[in-house]
């Protein structure tokens, strides 16, 4: 019987060590968990749960021996003449069985093996150990995958959970809800796929972190472009914005940081090789590469591709635009279920109205209608100010890139004095800027502009 107990003990420790190796857990941290759990279990057995930690006379030792590594509980007990009141006392007779020279009042160390605890207490200790180890593993996995939020990952389709897909990521499973799936795509068990890690969260009732994946988001397309287009990865071409209707059409606005680079050509590649790899990954979804322009009419004309507009009229103040196209270009301009014009509107920030040349001529045939149209879409008359006398050009701000200057000018901000009066929240609302870029612009202002109080 003694041999059997010893084998069980050694196997338990080996199992824990193997668990550490499999789950990449720190061995010392795991041993600490075992110590704490055994001490708690022993306190319950001895009826001393209320004992303060600093007064704790109970220790757990991992002692190496010829047969393996043994776990031993060491308890400091006071020798008493009468019956012991709790687990921290021992009768003189029992003490002398271990220490023949023991006397009343002495405090001596007594060793006990975990397997010698009662069956219930031993079982509770095991449960505590493995629960704490599972919690450690859950926390480590959370920290690992939380750092990967927004990154591309690979996985293997496992099964359907109602409308959600279960994806094997190696160490954990990810889920892809229906709203994050690319409509029309079908998978079989074991199929390999790419997705973006959209969100990682801890939920009390879940044994592992909940990792939400997406193939339907605009960020997924953005990451594919960063992976496939070296110029984007190197920062020579920037993605200004992405608008997407999954499985139907995606529009990507790009801008070159150097004048000798064609941003659209860099994304398309020789004979369309680069863009085709992305199209295949998206299940033959249509992708339009749109070149950014600080001129609203030119930007809208680019965004409405593949249609080629006859004319574009834009009201930068009211954020409205009219795109006039030949009759044969109308369906291209509108797109399937209006997808093309909707995505162009999202990219540019303008409400776009599509009209054919015939519709335009019919609606605005009278001189009065043409006059109203000209007033609506004509650029505001230049304000005569002492811009030449005292206004500071945006180009004079060191660190302000050509792209940012173009974005500001398209919003009617033409000099530093005007820019100073605008708050970060208002800057962030301008097309193509956002909170991060707005903070960057204000930081450049703070570093470059000397504030002078007027008396």
């Amino acid at each position: 019987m003694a041999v059997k107990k010893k084998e069980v003990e050694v196997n338990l420790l080996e199992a824990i060590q193997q668990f550490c190796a499999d789950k990449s857990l720190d061995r010392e941290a795991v041993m600490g968990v075992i110590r704490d759990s055994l001490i708690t279990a022993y306190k319950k057995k001895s009826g001393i749960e209320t004992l303060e930690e600093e007064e704790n006379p109970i220790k757990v030792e991992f002692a190496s021996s010829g047969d393996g590594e043994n776990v031993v509980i060491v308890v400091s007990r006071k020798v008493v003449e009468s019956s012991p009141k709790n687990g921290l006392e021992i009768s003189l007779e029992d003490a002398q069985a271990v220490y023949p020279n023991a006397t009343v009042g002495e405090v001596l160390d007594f060793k006990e093996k975990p397997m010698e605890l009662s069956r219930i207490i031993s079982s509770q200790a095991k449960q505590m150990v493995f629960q704490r180890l599972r919690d450690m593993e859950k926390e480590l996995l959370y920290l690992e995958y939380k750092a990967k939020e927004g990154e591309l990952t690979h996985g293997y389709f496992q099964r359907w959970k109602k409308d959600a897909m279960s994806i094997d990521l190696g160490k954990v499973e990810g889920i892809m809800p229906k709203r994050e799936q690319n409509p029309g795509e079908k998978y079989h068990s074991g199929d390999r796929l790419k997705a973006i890690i959209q969100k990682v969260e801890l939920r009390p009732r879940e044994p592992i972190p909940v990792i939400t994946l997406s193939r339907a988001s605009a960020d997924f397309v953005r990451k594919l472009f960063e992976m496939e287009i070296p110029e984007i990865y190197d920062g020579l071409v920037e993605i200004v914005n992405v608008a997407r209707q999954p499985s139907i059409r995606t529009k990507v606005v790009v801008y070159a940081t150097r004048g000798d680079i064609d941003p659209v050509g860099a994304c398309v590649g020789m004979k369309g090789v680069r863009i085709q790899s992305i199209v295949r990954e998206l299940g033959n979804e249509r992708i339009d590469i749109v070149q950014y322009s600080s001129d609203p009419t030119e930007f809208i004309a680019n965004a409405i591709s593949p249609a080629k507009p006859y004319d574009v009229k834009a009201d930068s103040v009211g954020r409205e635009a009219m795109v006039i196209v030949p009759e044969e270009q109308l369906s291209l301009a509108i797109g399937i279920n209006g997808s093309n014009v909707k995505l162009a509107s999202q990219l540019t920030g303008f409400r776009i109205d599509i009209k054919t040349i015939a519709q335009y001529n019919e609606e605005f045939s009278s001189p009065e209608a043409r006059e109203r149209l000209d007033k609506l879409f004509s650029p505001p008359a230049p304000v005569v100010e002492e811009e030449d006398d005292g206004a500071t050009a945006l180009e004079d701000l060191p660190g302000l890139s050509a792209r940012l200057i173009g974005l500001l000018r398209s919003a009617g901000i033409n000099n530093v004095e005007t820019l100073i009066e605008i708050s970060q929240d208002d800057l962030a609302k301008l097309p193509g800027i956002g909170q991060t870029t707005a903070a960057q612009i204000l930081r450049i202002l703070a570093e470059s502009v000397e504030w002078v109080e007027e008396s």
Side-chain angles (χ1 to χ4, degrees):
M1 281 304 256
V3 174
K4 186 176 180 182
K5 281 187 179 182
K6 191 170 189 179
E7 286 179 354
V8 171
E9 180 184 336
V10 172
N11 290 341
L12 173 63
L13 195 56
E14 288 177 352
I16 292 172
Q17 290 173 331
Q18 187 62 46
F19 181 86
C20 293
D22 293 342
K23 304 297 182 181
S24 301
L25 297 177
D26 180 68
R27 186 176 182 276
E28 287 304 315
V30 172
M31 292 305 185
V33 168
I34 297 172
R35 287 189 185 95
D36 293 344
S37 301
L38 288 175
I39 289 171
T40 301
Y42 190 86
K43 283 182 177 180
K44 286 184 178 180
K45 174 200 172 187
S46 305
I48 52 174
E49 295 98 326
T50 57
L51 191 68
E52 295 294 333
E53 189 62 35
E54 56 270 16
E55 301 173 359
N56 185 18
I58 306 168
K59 299 179 178 61
V60 175
E61 295 180 354
F62 300 94
S64 296
S65 68
D67 297 326
E69 196 169 14
N70 298 321
V71 184
V72 179
I73 301 173
V74 181
V75 185
S76 298
R77 291 180 176 177
K78 184 178 182 180
V79 181
V80 294
E81 190 169 358
S82 58
S83 298
K85 297 177 182 177
N86 55 43
L88 299 183
E89 294 181 350
I90 188 170
S91 67
L92 178 62
E93 181 182 352
D94 290 340
Q96 288 179 342
V98 180
Y99 296 97
N101 298 325
T103 58
V104 174
E106 278 190 283
V107 177
L108 303 171
D109 287 343
F110 293 86
K111 295 183 179 180
E112 186 173 346
K113 292 186 177 181
M115 299 305 298
E116 295 170 357
L117 297 172
S118 70
R119 182 182 60 82
I120 295 176
I121 296 297
S122 179
S123 175
Q124 288 176 347
K126 287 181 186 178
Q127 289 177 6
M128 291 171 63
V129 167
F130 284 107
Q131 181 59 49
R132 293 279 298 279
L133 293 180
R134 283 192 292 268
D135 291 343
M136 285 175 62
E137 180 194 9
K138 183 177 179 180
E139 180 66 22
L140 286 174
L141 286 173
Y142 171 76
L143 294 175
E144 177 182 346
Y145 283 91
K146 188 69 176 176
K148 297 179 181 179
E149 271 188 350
E151 294 183 9
L152 275 180
T153 189
H154 298 79
Y156 295 89
F157 173 70
Q158 284 191 314
R159 60 189 174 277
W160 290 97
K161 293 181 178 179
K162 295 184 179 179
D163 289 336
M165 296 169 62
S166 175
I167 312 296
D168 180 11
L169 300 178
K171 294 182 180 180
V172 293
E173 281 187 15
I175 59 168
M176 192 182 298
K178 187 174 183 180
R179 67 180 181 277
E180 301 300 339
Q181 299 167 20
N182 206 3
E185 291 184 340
K186 295 182 179 179
Y187 294 96
H188 301 91
S189 181
D191 285 353
R192 190 171 187 265
L193 55 84
K194 292 177 186 173
I196 193 172
I197 299 176
Q198 190 174 60
K199 184 191 293 185
V200 180
E201 53 188 337
L202 289 173
R203 295 180 185 172
R205 296 185 180 180
E206 297 291 342
I208 60 173
V210 179
I211 301 173
T212 304
L213 307 173
S214 176
R215 284 179 59 85
S217 67
D219 285 336
F220 177 57
V221 177
R222 186 187 293 267
K223 286 297 178 182
L224 289 177
F225 269 78
E226 291 177 1
M227 183 178 70
E228 296 289 343
I229 316 298
E231 288 83 355
I232 293 178
Y233 182 82
D234 294 336
L236 302 176
V237 174
E238 293 183 4
I239 296 177
V240 179
N241 202 356
V242 180
R244 187 180 184 202
Q245 194 165 347
S247 81
I248 297 177
R249 186 182 292 274
T250 293
K251 290 182 179 287
V252 182
V253 183
V254 293
Y255 175 86
T257 58
R258 279 183 12 196
D260 60 339
I261 295 177
D262 172 18
V264 176
C267 293
V268 173
M270 187 71 70
K271 296 183 180 180
V273 171
R274 290 177 174 178
I275 196 66
Q276 281 305 314
S277 64
I278 299 175
V279 169
R280 284 193 297 271
E281 180 63 40
L282 297 178
N284 294 321
E285 184 176 310
R286 293 178 180 272
I287 300 179
D288 299 330
I289 311 297
V290 178
Q291 182 160 352
Y292 175 77
S293 174
S294 58
D295 179 3
T297 57
E298 184 181 350
F299 187 24
I300 293 168
N302 294 342
I304 208 70
S305 66
K308 300 186 183 304
Y310 172 76
D311 192 15
V312 176
K313 298 180 180 294
D315 173 19
S316 296
V317 178
R319 309 301 290 176
E320 294 186 1
M322 181 183 292
V323 176
I324 304 157
V325 297
E327 185 73 35
E328 64 274 12
Q329 296 279 312
L330 181 61
S331 60
L332 276 177
I334 295 174
I336 300 171
N337 297 324
S339 60
N340 195 58
V341 68
K342 286 177 185 175
L343 294 177
S345 182
Q346 289 178 32
L347 288 180
T348 60
F350 281 74
R351 189 174 65 83
I352 300 174
D353 187 16
I354 307 287
K355 293 188 182 297
T356 64
I357 296 174
Q359 289 171 335
Y360 173 76
N361 289 334
E362 182 179 348
E363 289 185 32
F364 302 100
S365 57
S366 67
E368 293 81 3
R370 290 291 176 95
E371 185 180 353
R372 288 198 304 274
L373 183 69
D374 289 341
K375 285 182 179 179
L376 178 63
F377 290 110
S378 294
V383 179
V384 180
E385 7 173 342
E386 282 109 329
E387 205 167 329
D388 293 334
D389 297 331
T392 306
L394 295 175
E395 287 80 1
D396 291 342
L397 280 178
L400 200 62
S401 66
R403 182 179 76 86
L404 293 180
I405 292 173
L407 289 171
L408 293 172
R409 288 197 187 282
S410 66
I413 303 170
N414 297 311
N415 53 61
V416 175
E417 285 73 14
T418 305
L419 182 59
I420 288 173
E421 300 297 325
I422 299 176
S423 68
Q424 180 173 331
D425 288 340
D426 289 338
L427 267 179
K429 293 175 184 176
L430 299 179
I433 292 186
Q435 284 289 349
T436 303
T437 307
Q440 177 190 351
I441 293 172
L442 292 183
R443 187 173 65 253
I444 292 171
L445 264 179
E447 293 171 353
S448 306
V449 176
E450 182 178 354
W451 303 88
V452 179
E453 294 187 6
E454 295 184 359
S455 56

